[in-house]
Amino acid sequence: MPRNRGALGLAHRHILNRIANGELSAGTAVSEVSLATELGISRTPVREAIGQLVAEGMLQRSNRGAVVAQPTRQDIIELYELREALEVYVIGRIATRRLSLRVLEPLEALVEELRVIAAELKKSGKPALEGEELRRFITCDLRFHMLLLQAGGNQRMLKILDSTSVLLRVFSLPREHHTGKLLGEVYRFHRRILDAVAKGSRTDAMQLLGEHIQISLEERLAEYEDPQQAGRGW
């Protein structure tokens, strides 16, 4: 039984990771046989992991078996409303605590990485991020938000938002319009949010994060209506 649980957890994490890094985009079929072969385990734990992910809303049943969930417009709105309600509350809490250097330093590093990515894009002469650099940017963007949430210390909220973030990444990866201007906007938001937290400015931190999430929601909805639209990060 412990071995089965371990295999189930392995399969669950593997599928989530492939969704998160864009290998399995919305609407893509998930193959029990292929995953079992890839992981070197039996099909039973893979089947159970797929069942769990269907229950969690990450996958959905279709005539092809299970496919990566394709959220509706209302799903996107509800996911962002959940983010705003929980994240803004958490950042208000941590802004009053004055975070230690141990917590602030990795956040500072992520903000600096955003600046570097934007500078590299400008130097390359390319109009927008693509491929591995786009994945690098999205990982950095999400990691910043997740570290702030971890600093809040509420594991239940973190678990809820971790699932939400994976769903939103489905919509974040397949785009071609992460321009230098857009990267600069994300960098400036993260910079100002972190500065407000570091100074203990609860009101500013909450207002900035709320605005950041609202702008991102507007972009996601615009992209949903017109796939050629750009996005402003997570």
Side-chain angles (χ1 to χ4, degrees):
M1 184 64 75
R3 179 182 295 179
N4 289 339
R5 284 200 297 269
L8 170 60
L10 174 64
H12 188 276
R13 289 192 301 274
H14 182 73
I15 297 169
L16 278 181
N17 286 338
R18 291 192 65 189
I19 294 172
N21 66 25
E23 292 179 44
L24 293 173
S25 58
T28 302
V30 178
S31 168
E32 272 184 34
V33 176
S34 295
L35 287 167
T37 301
E38 188 176 336
L39 294 171
I41 59 178
S42 72
R43 291 175 61 180
T44 299
V46 174
R47 186 180 306 118
E48 292 173 353
I50 289 173
Q52 280 192 6
L53 289 164
V54 169
E56 292 168 7
M58 304 301 301
L59 303 177
Q60 58 191 35
R61 299 293 182 186
S62 77
N63 56 10
R64 291 182 291 163
V67 300
V68 178
Q70 184 82 266
T72 65
R73 188 177 189 278
Q74 186 59 33
D75 288 333
I76 298 171
I77 292 172
E78 291 177 3
L79 288 167
Y80 270 93
E81 286 177 345
L82 175 62
R83 278 196 61 202
E84 185 173 9
L86 297 184
E87 282 195 61
V88 172
Y89 169 77
V90 170
I91 206 167
R93 289 185 63 192
I94 66 176
T96 62
R97 297 178 183 176
R98 292 300 183 93
L99 298 181
S100 67
L101 285 177
R102 181 180 62 83
V103 178
L104 286 173
E105 285 177 352
L107 286 165
E108 287 283 356
L110 288 168
V111 171
E112 174 62 14
E113 185 171 359
L114 281 180
R115 187 194 65 76
V116 169
I117 293 171
E120 289 175 351
L121 176 63
K122 182 177 181 180
K123 185 177 180 180
S124 73
K126 295 178 181 178
L129 292 177
E130 57 187 11
E132 185 56 38
E133 289 308 304
L134 177 56
R135 285 189 286 273
R136 176 185 167 201
F137 166 78
I138 292 170
T139 298
C140 180
D141 189 7
L142 282 165
R143 184 65 178 157
F144 176 84
H145 287 273
M146 296 313 293
L147 283 181
L148 283 173
L149 288 165
Q150 287 170 2
N154 189 315
Q155 294 303 309
R156 291 182 184 274
M157 285 187 179
L158 189 61
K159 185 175 181 180
I160 291 170
L161 282 160
D162 190 42
S163 295
T164 304
S165 73
V166 178
L167 277 174
L168 293 171
R169 288 182 79 161
V170 173
F171 285 85
S172 298
L173 281 164
R175 63 170 64 113
E176 303 173 354
H177 302 285
H178 263 96
T179 63
K181 178 181 178 182
L182 186 149
L183 266 61
E185 290 176 0
V186 176
Y187 164 73
R188 284 188 290 275
F189 260 114
H190 284 206
R191 176 75 273 163
R192 293 170 66 198
I193 288 167
L194 185 56
D195 286 348
V197 169
K199 293 174 184 176
S201 179
R202 179 176 180 272
T203 300
D204 287 348
M206 294 176 73
Q207 181 177 334
L208 285 165
L209 182 55
E211 184 180 351
H212 186 34
I213 293 172
Q214 281 292 322
I215 289 174
S216 186
L217 169 59
E218 291 169 7
E219 290 291 335
R220 291 293 75 70
L221 292 177
E223 186 178 70
Y224 185 82
E225 300 296 339
D226 179 2
Q228 297 303 312
Q229 291 289 328
R232 281 192 171 84
W234 198 69

